[in-house]
Every structure is written in C-alpha cells, then in structure tokens.
C-alpha cells in the first residue's frame, strides 16, 4: 500500500487532485468509444466502470469529511460499523458500496465525476485539516481529514495509471 504522507499537505493534495481529474477527463473524452466499454483485462472493469468507481469513492470520501467535521463540532453521531477491506491475490478489492454497477454512458459517468468532485471540494473547503479526529479507512486504518484527502488522491492517481 501507498505511504499517504507522500501525497503532500492539504493544499498540495487539492492541487494534485485537480491535475489528476483533468488527466482522467482528458483520457476518457479522448478515448475510442469501444475502449471505454471493453474490460481492461479478463474479469476486470471497463474504463467507464473504473471512472464510476472513482466517483463513488470520492462521494464516500466527501461523506467522511462531513462526518469528521460534525464530530469535531460536538455532534453525537451514531457509530458506523467498520468493515475492513478485503484482498484478493494481494490486491485490495473495492468494498460493495463503491463497486460500479456499470451500464452508464460516457456522459453519465462524466456527470457523476463532476457531482462527486463538487461534493468533495465543498466538504474539503469546510474541513479542518488539522483536526485530529479520525474515521477508519478499509485499507489504511484510522485517518484524519488530511489522510482521507490524500487517500482520494492516491486512489484517483492509481486508477489513472491503470487506464494508461
């Protein structure tokens, strides 16, 4: 697994998220339509499914940032059960809530990415990167808001590399 500390400060992570999103959108918009709907390898997701997954993870990350902010503000929130991440052949597997359903068009995936990024940036703007409150990540363990933002960056960059 990645060393999330290598993904920079709050400001650096936000800047790199902007860069990685531009690269992802360029890759998707410039792709041959048949490539977008062809699994990357046998048994794998299609590029559109990968992008859908990235959006689902970002939406989930934004919800975690919101939760951390609310806990820091003193709200008494009901506990959320922690489900540790699973590995298959040494590779982390997407938890059920962030697995893509597939069947979306490029336009639908692009809209999903835009909504998720907007939500993430909205919550990031309200977050306190120095708040020590944590929420468990399925693969990285307890993370602060900064840790979650770094994990989102790592995640998008990881999938961008996989798309080539």
């Amino acid at each position: 697994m990645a060393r999330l500390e290598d993904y920079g400060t709050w400001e650096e992570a936000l800047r790199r998220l902007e860069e990685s999103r531009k690269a992802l959108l360029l890759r998707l918009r410039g792709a041959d339509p048949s490539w977008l709907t062809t699994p990357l390898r046998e048994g794998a997701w299609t590029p559109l499914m990968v992008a859908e997954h990235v959006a689902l993870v970002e939406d989930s990350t934004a919800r975690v940032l919101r939760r951390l902010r609310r806990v820091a503000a003193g709200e008494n929130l009901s506990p959320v059960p922690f489900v540790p991440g699973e590995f298959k052949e040494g590779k982390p597997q997407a938890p059920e809530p962030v697995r893509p359903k597939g069947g979306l068009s490029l336009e639908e995936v692009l809209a999903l990415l835009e909504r998720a990024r907007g939500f993430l940036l909205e919550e990031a703007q309200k977050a306190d990167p120095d708040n020590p409150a944590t929420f468990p990540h399925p693969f990285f363990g307890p993370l602060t808001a900064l840790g979650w933002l770094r994990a989102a960056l790592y995640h998008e960059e990881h999938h961008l590399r996989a798309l080539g």
Side-chain angles (χ1 to χ4, degrees):
M1 292 299 286
R3 286 177 18 98
L4 293 180
E5 304 82 32
D6 295 341
Y7 286 80
T9 65
W10 188 262
E11 294 77 17
E12 290 166 340
L14 285 171
R15 181 186 52 74
R16 285 178 63 185
L17 273 167
E18 183 179 346
E19 292 169 5
S20 66
R21 180 51 50 90
K22 285 179 184 175
L24 178 59
L25 295 176
L26 186 66
R27 181 71 176 113
L28 294 172
R29 288 182 175 131
D32 183 289
S34 65
W35 177 78
L36 291 171
T37 57
T38 302
L40 294 169
R41 63 186 177 287
E42 189 174 328
W45 295 337
T46 68
L48 285 179
M49 292 172 75
V50 170
E52 178 186 353
H53 166 68
V54 167
L56 293 170
V57 167
E58 273 199 5
D59 184 79
S60 179
T61 299
R63 292 177 194 287
V64 169
L65 292 180
R66 177 185 287 167
R67 182 177 183 84
L68 288 171
R69 179 172 45 83
R70 291 174 65 193
V71 167
E75 284 189 52
N76 187 14
L77 303 176
S78 56
V80 176
F82 174 66
V83 179
E86 296 179 10
F87 291 84
K88 182 178 178 184
E89 299 174 7
K91 294 183 179 181
Q93 301 299 297
E96 182 62 37
V98 294
R99 288 186 193 146
K101 307 297 182 253
L104 299 178
S105 69
L106 174 59
E107 294 74 23
E108 290 168 320
V109 169
L110 293 174
L112 191 62
L113 284 165
E114 184 179 343
R115 281 193 306 274
R117 180 52 60 91
F119 183 29
L120 179 64
L121 293 177
E122 176 185 324
E123 288 303 323
Q125 189 174 39
K126 297 175 188 175
D128 176 1
D130 299 318
N131 181 346
T134 63
F135 189 81
H137 186 281
F139 298 102
F140 293 111
L143 295 178
T144 63
L146 176 57
W148 277 93
L149 192 68
R150 288 170 170 166
L153 171 59
Y154 160 75
H155 184 257
E156 183 166 70
E157 288 183 350
H158 164 77
H159 284 296
L160 186 56
R161 282 189 303 275
L163 292 175

